[in-house]
Amino acid sequence: MHNTTRTLSAEMDAWKTRQMARMAALMPPPRPPRVPTVPGTSEPLPCVFSDAELDVIWPKLQNVTPRMMSFDARFLRTDRERLTPKGKALVHEIAHRYRRQMFGKASRTWHIADTVEAFQKWANRRIAENMSPLFIPLKREFFEAFERGKKTAEYRLYGPRWNERTCRVGRAVVLSFGYTHRRLCGEIVHFSISATPQLLPGWNACYGDTHRTAAVIGITVLRNPEVKHDE
């Protein structure tokens, strides 16, 4: 009796294995989504997020709960360093599918452009929070205008020192009267670029009649400052 049971069990196991293999052969593997390409070429479109933004967004995206055995589930298990250009081109589309898990019910009606904008704002704020305060020395008249609340933006020559990467929204700033210890703490709330700096108040007095591009840094002064700048 023992031998018969063992034989039947082995035959049943073999039959199950054959059935599973047959079903697996009949079921097509999940097809990955079509990668968007540059028109007229086979090159994938560049990632809509910068590398710095992607470094912050990817761990957040890996915390969502995709459908088991789906392409998304396999894709989201990829390490950030192993993402290929094709993979990076898909990140914003996959992020859009899981926007409700990350941004709540209000995101249900978002278009993909809304999702990208929300992710970029969130990522840039996270990046800005980890940056040291931006030190901005000012002349007396401009410092006191910030102090009185009459001035809400600072203008600098756009370049390596003053750009969208160094002046991220959310980054803390230290406004200094020259290089003295009379200072104000604030936060960047807006950044834009002006191609007509001559029209900005006080620009010609500082930089002359130059046609270079200006960085416009919107700043909110914190009345109860907690941020300190270490020289």
Side-chain angles (χ1 to χ4, degrees), residues 15-102:
W15 178 83
K16 284 183 177 180
T17 301
R18 289 194 302 271
Q19 290 296 103
M20 295 277 290
R22 187 177 301 168
M23 290 178 63
L26 292 174
M27 291 180 62
R31 296 178 61 185
R34 186 180 65 83
V35 177
T37 58
V38 177
T41 73
S42 59
E43 292 294 318
L45 284 174
C47 181
V48 298
F49 303 117
S50 68
D51 285 339
E53 291 169 348
L54 194 56
D55 288 340
V56 179
I57 290 169
W58 190 245
K60 181 179 178 68
L61 193 53
Q62 287 182 307
N63 290 329
V64 303
T65 306
R67 185 166 50 86
M68 290 181 63
M69 305 302 290
S70 65
F71 170 81
D72 294 354
R74 291 185 287 114
F75 180 76
L76 291 172
R77 288 198 295 268
T78 308
D79 293 332
R80 160 71 179 89
E81 296 76 17
R82 295 180 60 193
L83 282 177
T84 64
K86 288 184 178 180
K88 292 179 182 179
L90 290 172
V91 170
H92 68 290
E93 294 185 8
I94 291 176
H96 183 62
R97 288 203 280 276
Y98 299 98
R99 62 193 183 279
R100 289 187 63 182
Q101 290 189 34
M102 292 173 282

Side-chain angles (χ1 to χ4, degrees), residues 109-143:
T109 58
W110 286 0
H111 297 292
I112 195 165
D114 301 320
T115 302
V116 169
E117 183 181 4
F119 263 106
Q120 287 176 328
K121 286 182 177 179
W122 177 85
N124 279 290
R125 184 162 286 277
R126 298 287 83 76
I127 295 169
E129 288 172 355
N130 293 323
M131 298 174 77
S132 60
L134 181 64
F135 184 68
I136 306 178
L138 301 167
K139 292 182 178 180
R140 179 190 294 274
E141 59 178 305
F142 302 128
F143 178 86

